[in-house]
Amino acid sequence: MRKDQSEVSCCVKYLLFFFNVFFWLIGGLTVAIGLYARFEKTAYQDFFNDIVMDPAFALIIVGGIMFILGFTGCIGALRENVCLLKFFSVILAIIFFLQLSLAVVVFVFQDKVEEIVAEKIQTTIVSYRDNVDLQVLIDGVQQEFKCCGGQTYNNWQENIYFNCSSPGAEACGVPFSCCREDTINTQCGYGIRLQEHTETHRNAIIYTRGCIEAVKEWFKENMIVIGGVAVGLALMQIMGICFANSLITDIKLQMARWERADYY
């Protein structure tokens, strides 16, 4: 048998190659977004003062891993390199089990996770006017999820500008992003938390539910979609592992045939 007569599956080989090209490109894009968020935007740095919890830092790490995995998978499949394919398969399996473990931990300790998020949101509310990017982020969340504050709209009492003891016009108010009006009226939330307003009146003007509750409801309403995306990603990872191991087996069988042919 001649060595140029390969029994390696071209279908598996090139499926794995293009599969990794996609992740290689996505990894590079993710790193670029993470670097941009880290060095050009300050909102996330103010919200996540711990670099370990910084989403920009997480994007850089995840993107870097995807980039390296995509590269090793591409070269390993194209050059039929067993070492690179083994590295790709093992690291992908580790990532899969880490993701599974993280999902279990978040589910089991969801109350603790909610507590940490509530503390971060409260810190963000206090710093609302200190950073333009952070302000835009908060306003966007409140408008998108139709909510106000963290656990309740009264959380805005902690902000120096919206505190009832403030001498400014915004005293005992909330940001305009809490308002139900379709058109932007920056003054619609002024004084809305004063005792003279009934809860019914407040509810007619602003969103009174907290953003934590709103986000939780959004997750519940979109659980099927979120679950589908999670299962889809898991299946892609499992397919990548299976393709890599299948290709490794084919390569090893072919190498064994070459050795027997050379022997005889």
Side-chain angles (χ1 to χ4, degrees), residues 161-172:
Y161 297 97
F162 299 104
N163 191 288
C164 290
S165 62
S166 171
E170 296 173 313
C172 259

Side-chain angles (χ1 to χ4, degrees), residues 205-244:
I205 296 176
I206 65 171
Y207 300 112
T208 54
R209 68 172 178 170
C211 289
I212 293 176
E213 180 186 348
V215 172
K216 286 171 66 177
E217 288 181 8
W218 183 87
F219 272 102
K220 289 178 181 178
E221 292 171 0
N222 296 275
M223 189 61 70
I224 295 176
V225 176
I226 295 170
V229 171
V231 171
L233 289 173
L235 288 175
M236 288 182 68
Q237 290 174 317
I238 293 171
M239 285 174 61
I241 295 169
C242 291
F243 283 161

Side-chain angles (χ1 to χ4, degrees), residues 66-130:
M66 288 178 66
F67 187 85
I68 294 171
L69 271 181
F71 178 78
T72 55
C74 283
I75 302 303
L78 199 61
R79 302 296 299 172
E80 298 180 9
N81 188 300
V82 173
C83 291
L84 288 178
L85 288 171
K86 282 184 177 180
F87 174 82
F88 169 80
S89 179
V90 170
I91 298 300
L92 195 59
I94 291 173
I95 291 173
F96 175 77
F97 286 111
L98 284 176
Q99 290 173 336
L100 187 62
S101 301
L102 179 62
V104 171
V105 169
V106 170
F107 178 78
V108 173
F109 298 101
Q110 54 185 315
D111 291 338
K112 182 63 176 177
V113 172
E114 184 177 330
E115 181 182 333
I116 293 172
V117 172
E119 290 176 1
K120 289 295 181 182
I121 290 176
Q122 193 62 36
T123 303
T124 307
I125 287 174
V126 173
S127 307
Y128 176 72
R129 286 288 169 77
D130 298 342

Side-chain angles (χ1 to χ4, degrees), residues 32-69:
I33 293 172
L35 290 172
Y36 174 76
R38 185 65 189 167
F39 295 108
E40 297 296 330
K41 296 294 181 181
T42 58
Y44 297 110
Q45 295 177 35
D46 290 341
F47 186 74
F48 297 93
N49 48 24
D50 185 356
I51 192 172
V52 176
M53 297 183 67
D54 190 341
F57 183 72
L59 285 173
I60 294 170
I61 296 297
V62 172
I65 293 172
M66 288 178 66
F67 187 85
I68 294 171
L69 271 181

Side-chain angles (χ1 to χ4, degrees), residues 125-137:
I125 287 174
V126 173
S127 307
Y128 176 72
R129 286 288 169 77
D130 298 342
N131 186 302
V132 176
D133 290 332
L134 191 62
Q135 184 174 328
V136 171
L137 175 66

